[in-house]
Amino acid sequence: MARERREIRRIESAAARQVTFSKRRRGLFKKAEELGVLCDADVALVVFSSTGKLSQFASSSMDEIIDKYSTHSKNLGKSQEKPALDLNVEHSKYNSLNEQLAEASLHLRHMRGEELRGLSVGELQQMEKDLETGLQRVLSTKDQQFMQQISDLQQKGRELAEENTLLRNQMPQGPTAGMMGVAETENVVTEDVLSSESVTTAVHSGSSQDNDDGSDISLKLGLPWK
């Protein structure tokens, strides 16, 4: 037969309440002892009765367990407080950056000539001075860059002029040798023409002489003798 489940509520009778407290306390301590032995855990129990009587159980040293609990509680509290503090700091930084971004965006629009109606005369004059100063800086920077480009071009021109002069100094050696070669070729051709004319003249002049003279001329020229 199933055991009837007892309703959990405060026992009205003081005597019955004390008897139940004693039984349940012994059972609780027994379970705590078994938990410490079986699982090699540090277990500590502190129980106060309705009359204020203290009952405690510790699997090892109660003071050591309490110190360990205190240290753990402090570290846990710090770890829980730190993220909240970090979130507050990050939120503050985020708000500050948003404000700076809004101010910078508004100032940029003012510099572009937008949303100027809410500005005072003094603010407009200060903006005019800022724009003039900025314009002078832009013109000065542009002039510096132009001068730098001109200087670079002049330097490049000087380098090209030096290379051109060097090439001009090297050019006469080549054409002179070429002209000498052409002159020698022309002399050889002239000598060959003269030699050919001499031979032709000799052949024509020798045709009127006797055969012996013709044979001599033919032998000298290397021609077949008939």
Side-chain angles (χ1 to χ4, degrees):
M1 183 175 179
R3 185 177 178 180
E4 183 181 358
R5 186 173 183 180
R6 186 175 181 179
E7 183 181 0
I8 303 299
R9 62 184 180 86
R10 183 176 181 273
I11 301 174
E12 298 296 336
S13 173
R17 188 165 58 241
Q18 183 63 34
V19 172
T20 303
F21 174 78
S22 298
K23 292 181 179 180
R24 295 294 179 101
R25 181 189 60 186
R26 286 195 299 269
L28 180 62
F29 286 176
K30 184 178 180 181
K31 293 293 183 183
E33 183 180 4
E34 293 175 355
L35 178 62
V37 173
L38 294 175
C39 302
D40 193 19
D42 290 333
V43 182
L45 293 177
V46 177
V47 180
F48 287 95
S49 66
S50 60
T51 60
K53 184 180 179 180
L54 172 63
S55 299
Q56 63 181 14
F57 168 82
S59 59
S60 58
S61 172
M62 178 63 73
D63 294 335
E64 292 179 358
I65 296 176
I66 292 175
D67 291 339
K68 185 183 295 185
Y69 171 77
S70 300
T71 303
H72 180 73
S73 299
K74 291 179 181 179
N75 294 333
L76 183 62
K78 291 180 180 179
S79 61
Q80 291 178 350
E81 292 176 358
K82 187 175 181 181
L85 181 61
D86 293 339
L87 289 176
N88 292 332
V89 173
E90 293 296 331
H91 185 69
S92 177
K93 290 182 179 179
Y94 177 76
N95 292 334
S96 178
L97 291 176
N98 278 338
E99 292 177 358
Q100 294 178 7
L101 179 61
E103 292 178 359
S105 300
L106 181 60
H107 182 68
L108 180 60
R109 290 194 296 271
H110 288 167
M111 298 298 289
R112 291 176 178 176
E114 302 173 358
E115 301 181 9
L116 301 178
R117 292 186 178 180
L119 300 179
S120 62
V121 177
E123 291 175 344
L124 292 174
Q125 291 177 349
Q126 182 63 38
M127 186 179 299
E128 183 180 3
K129 292 180 180 179
D130 295 340
L131 290 173
E132 290 177 354
T133 303
L135 180 60
Q136 292 177 358
R137 292 177 180 175
V138 171
L139 294 176
S140 177
T141 304
K142 184 183 69 174
D143 293 340
Q144 291 178 0
Q145 292 183 357
F146 280 160
M147 295 300 296
Q148 184 64 36
Q149 291 179 359
I150 292 172
S151 177
D152 293 341
L153 291 174
Q154 290 177 349
Q155 180 65 24
K156 189 174 181 180
R158 287 192 294 268
E159 293 176 356
L160 291 175
E162 293 176 358
E163 292 180 0
N164 191 15
T165 302
L166 182 60
L167 292 175
R168 286 182 179 179
N169 294 333
Q170 295 177 355
M171 285 178 62
Q173 297 178 2
T176 302
M179 292 175 64
M180 292 177 64
V182 172
E184 292 177 357
T185 303
E186 292 179 352
N187 292 333
V188 172
V189 173
T190 304
E191 291 177 357
D192 292 340
V193 172
L194 292 176
S195 299
S196 299
E197 291 179 353
S198 300
V199 172
T200 303
T201 304
V203 171
H204 287 292
S205 63
S207 63
S208 61
Q209 297 179 0
D210 52 7
N211 292 333
D212 294 334
D213 295 334
S215 63
D216 294 335
I217 294 172
S218 298
L219 290 174
K220 291 180 180 178
L221 297 176
L223 296 174
W225 179 74
K226 295 180 181 181

